[in-house]
Amino acid sequence: MDVQCVPCDYDPVFEVQVRSERFKFNASHFVAFRGFRERLHGHNYTVGVRVFGPLSPDDGYVLDFGDVKKTVRGVCETLNERFLCPCRSDVLDIRDAGPNVELTAEDGAFFSIPLGDCAMLPIVHSTAEELAAMIWHKTIEAFGVDILKKRGITAIEIAVAEAPMQEARYRRKLAGFAPGAAPIPARAPNAGCGANITPAG
């Protein structure tokens, strides 16, 4: 009896998910938009990663778990024990005051925080959603988009949780990725961020 192999009419796609106890950062923030400002508070954030792509015939991986862990840990370390400053905010006046960053909100609340204690981020609001988009950009640029594309990686998803069962996810294809682009389209950085803004990558 002959057995014939019928060609597949699709390309299989694998998905790998990586979570680690070290994918975390402790940070303070407040969300502010027109007519609203949260009180300053903090979270013990955790991060998760999902990678989509084909299985490499060379090593049997979609992407090496060790490489994913190293990259995401590095991104988390830049945010750990920092105030998350949304440098593209349209409701906060952010000023560079020498060793400190000064923020004035619509309601008159004033904050003066040492620059070294701040993560100056290219986002509009320090929500879990925008943090997920920013971490996606940082992760892609830390890996190197060309390396990911060479392996056939098609998309990556980042999850950011503020608390258990309370998380936001950002998934995007690698096609069309522009290194250095702001993760959230918005106006130019607040004048007080200037050279202090942390690049998207």
Side-chain angles (χ1 to χ4, degrees):
M1 181 173 64
D2 293 332
V3 178
Q4 295 182 343
C5 294
V6 179
C8 292
D9 60 358
Y10 64 92
D11 293 324
V13 175
F14 288 82
E15 171 190 332
V16 295
Q17 180 170 330
V18 185
R19 288 183 179 271
S20 167
E21 292 182 357
R22 296 181 66 185
F23 288 5
K24 64 182 180 180
F25 59 96
N26 307 318
S28 61
H29 82 131
F30 60 83
V31 174
F33 51 83
R34 294 291 177 195
F36 174 82
R37 179 185 67 81
E38 289 182 317
R39 293 177 64 88
L40 179 65
H41 63 285
H43 295 287
N44 297 317
Y45 293 92
T46 58
V47 176
V49 185
R50 295 169 72 196
V51 181
F52 302 83
L55 198 67
S56 169
D58 298 322
D59 56 25
Y61 294 137
V62 174
L63 198 58
D64 190 309
F65 285 153
D67 292 339
V68 175
K69 290 178 180 179
K70 179 180 178 180
T71 300
V72 177
R73 282 199 305 264
V75 173
C76 290
E77 286 172 2
T78 67
L79 305 172
N80 192 43
E81 297 182 350
R82 299 288 193 276
F83 168 71
L84 306 178
C85 184
C87 281
R88 298 182 185 274
S89 172
D90 56 357
V91 296
L92 297 174
D93 179 32
I94 305 173
R95 298 184 180 279
D96 183 342
N100 284 16
V101 175
E102 296 182 346
L103 299 89
T104 305
E106 279 187 318
D107 61 2
F110 175 78
F111 304 86
S112 182
I113 305 171
L115 177 60
D117 290 348
C118 296
M120 310 298 284
L121 306 177
I123 56 179
V124 183
H125 313 93
S126 55
T127 58
E129 291 86 345
E130 292 194 27
L131 288 171
M134 184 203 66
I135 291 172
W136 186 95
H137 275 73
K138 283 179 169 287
T139 299
I140 301 302
E141 291 198 340
F143 260 114
V145 67
D146 291 338
I147 292 175
L148 294 173
K149 287 181 176 179
K150 185 175 181 180
R151 288 195 67 94
I153 303 303
T154 57
I156 289 181
E157 178 183 281
I158 296 291
V160 173
E162 295 181 337
M165 305 303 292
Q166 182 176 316
E167 70 179 27
R169 297 185 179 200
Y170 181 84
R171 183 193 301 181
R172 181 174 162 185
K173 294 180 179 179
L174 293 189
F177 172 74
I184 304 296
R187 65 186 180 89
N190 197 295
C193 290
N196 294 322
I197 191 170
T198 300

